[in-house]
Amino acid sequence: MFYAIISQDVENSLDKRLSVRAEHIERLNTLQDEGRLLIAGPHPNIDSEDPGPAGFSGSLIVAEFKSLEDAQAWADADPYIAAGVYKQVTVKPFKRVFPGV
């Protein structure tokens, strides 16, 4: 089943994000290589693909896991958590409807 991992950043998180971004992206690449990643990306703080120093307000990851517990454990191990980027992370089931499979 798919699970949505919805993360909210602390204020002024950009430097913290950049410090562990490679490790964060490596984990997403693993999910993608395994065919389990549906979508992932950050929420810019401004209406721009590249917000520059304005940074980001959070992230969304939708990926396939065996259970809610597995999805939560994966989210809890994110390098952004250890680096203090996220102030809140919500993990919940996601039912894909569109686009159709």
Side-chain angles (χ1 to χ4, degrees):
M1 177 166 194
F2 285 107
Y3 294 88
I5 301 168
I6 306 152
S7 307
Q8 205 172 21
D9 282 21
V10 298
E11 294 293 320
N12 301 311
S13 63
L14 187 57
D15 288 340
K16 292 177 182 180
R17 274 181 168 269
L18 294 176
S19 74
V20 293
R21 184 174 188 275
E23 294 91 344
H24 174 78
I25 295 297
E26 183 179 325
R27 297 176 82 233
L28 292 171
N29 281 330
T30 299
L31 286 178
Q32 184 172 344
D33 292 347
E34 294 171 351
R36 298 170 44 207
L37 183 63
L38 184 60
I39 192 169
H43 301 286
N45 271 324
I46 60 174
D47 190 12
S48 173
E49 287 272 330
D50 181 5
F56 302 94
S57 64
S59 301
L60 170 66
I61 299 168
V62 179
E64 189 174 25
F65 293 92
K66 291 181 182 179
S67 67
L68 178 59
E69 292 77 18
D70 286 351
Q72 185 69 60
W74 188 91
D76 290 345
D78 195 307
Y80 282 174
I81 298 255
V85 174
Y86 294 150
K87 68 178 172 184
Q88 180 179 353
V89 178
T90 303
V91 180
K92 54 187 176 178
F94 178 83
K95 181 180 177 184
R96 179 180 178 176
V97 176
F98 292 99
V101 211

